[in-house]
Amino acid sequence: MRLRTPTNALAFKRRLLKWFRREGRSLPWRETRDPYHVLVSEFMLQQTQVSRVQSYYARFLDRYPTVEALARAKRSAVRAVWDGLGYYRRAEHLHELAKTLVRDHAGIVPDDPDRLRRLPGVGTYTAGAVATFAYERRVPAIDTNVSRVLRRAFLPTLDDGAGAQRRLHGLATVLLPRRRSTAWEFNQALMDLGAMVCTARAPKCPVCPVRQACRTGRRPR
Ligand code: SF4
């Protein structure tokens, strides 16, 4: 669904990017554009806090620095490196994914969200995240945090009925900056705002950098 660009879009983007360049989190998977490394980080981050993932991410890539190394590994060894991070189905899917990439894709992670989604364990969010964070593709990556920010800032009355996800996807798409590297920053910035400021239980509206451009934050209290 193609939405018209909301009137507060430009101010929201400017403010968000300015804040992110100053306050954005420095995370190891943001220092790379290696698609396999980004893929590993996205699998680990599913339902797990950033602070817990950091040490596992480094350890996993030490042991399996390439998709080929992971594809060759024994299942029990992969499980052992993942041990303690929980949700072991993710490790199994990641291992399966590495084998599929080596067998069917010459070890190359696709850059297209539709092709990514056909791989084991890759859902809509992960496909978008890998496409934008590894390849700087101008596509949305909408996780829970991003969904919350977009709803509050632009669609505060959106209910969870049919079509809500398509509406959010359309909104996130029209908001994307034209330059690919800026689209990368914008998607990362939305994540950080949702994790650090526009949190689920206690949004910090009085100190929020996009408050003047947010339909919820501007409401009188
Ligand atoms: S002003 Fe409040 S509701 Fe709006 S994005 Fe910021 S924290 Fe979220």
Side-chain angles (χ1 to χ4, degrees), residues 34 36-37 60-70 72:
D34 182 315
Y36 164 66
H37 293 194
F60 194 89
L61 290 180
D62 245 18
R63 183 75 183 270
Y64 304 117
T66 63
V67 68
E68 288 81 9
L70 179 58
R72 280 194 304 269

Side-chain angles (χ1 to χ4, degrees), residues 149 152-153 193 197-198 203-205 208 210-211 214 216-217 221:
V149 170
R152 287 176 176 166
L193 193 76
V197 181
C198 192
K204 304 178 182 76
C205 299
C208 178
V210 301
R211 185 178 181 187
C214 171
T216 301
R221 278 152 203 273

Side-chain angles (χ1 to χ4, degrees), residues 25-62 64-67 70 82 85-87 90-91 93-95 97 101 109 121-122 125-135 141 143 184 188 191:
R25 292 174 294 183
S26 166
L27 300 168
W29 44 89
R30 289 180 175 170
E31 307 297 319
T32 182
R33 296 292 185 276
D34 182 315
Y36 164 66
H37 293 194
V38 172
L39 200 50
V40 169
S41 73
E42 289 300 336
F43 268 68
M44 289 189 165
L45 286 163
Q46 289 166 15
Q47 301 174 56
T48 305
Q49 286 183 336
V50 164
S51 55
R52 268 175 62 69
V53 166
Q54 296 208 43
S55 60
Y56 282 91
Y57 173 76
R59 200 165 54 147
F60 194 89
L61 290 180
D62 245 18
Y64 304 117
T66 63
V67 68
L70 179 58
W82 199 277
L85 195 57
Y87 298 104
R90 294 179 297 175
H93 280 143
L94 185 57
H95 193 200
L97 174 48
L101 288 172
V109 179
V122 177
Y125 163 73
T126 304
V130 171
T132 189
F133 296 147
Y135 293 105
D143 68 354
W184 179 98
Q188 298 281 18
M191 305 243 163

Side-chain angles (χ1 to χ4, degrees), residues 70-192:
L70 179 58
R72 280 194 304 269
K74 287 213 170 92
R75 185 179 167 174
S76 56
V78 176
R79 164 78 193 239
V81 180
W82 199 277
D83 199 25
L85 195 57
Y87 298 104
Y88 295 102
R89 287 287 290 163
R90 294 179 297 175
E92 287 167 19
H93 280 143
L94 185 57
H95 193 200
E96 209 45 54
L97 174 48
K99 290 195 253 183
T100 304
L101 288 172
V102 169
R103 191 183 59 233
D104 302 336
H105 299 265
I108 296 167
V109 179
D111 69 349
D112 175 61
D114 290 334
R115 291 182 65 210
L116 280 158
R117 256 200 309 273
R118 284 184 223 129
L119 295 168
V122 177
T124 303
Y125 163 73
T126 304
V130 171
T132 189
F133 296 147
Y135 293 105
E136 298 187 353
R137 289 280 309 265
R138 293 185 62 254
V139 293
I142 307 175
D143 68 354
T144 319
N145 282 338
V146 172
S147 167
R148 185 172 59 251
V149 170
L150 293 177
R151 280 166 179 265
R152 287 176 176 166
F154 296 99
L155 300 167
T157 56
L158 184 69
D159 59 29
D160 286 326
Q165 288 313 313
R166 265 190 306 147
R167 189 108 191 263
L168 281 171
H169 189 273
L171 170 63
T173 303
V174 298
L175 289 175
L176 282 167
R178 284 215 188 93
R179 276 182 62 175
R180 292 168 70 122
S181 57
T182 316
W184 179 98
E185 281 185 295
F186 179 74
N187 280 330
Q188 298 281 18
L190 282 174
M191 305 243 163
D192 278 7

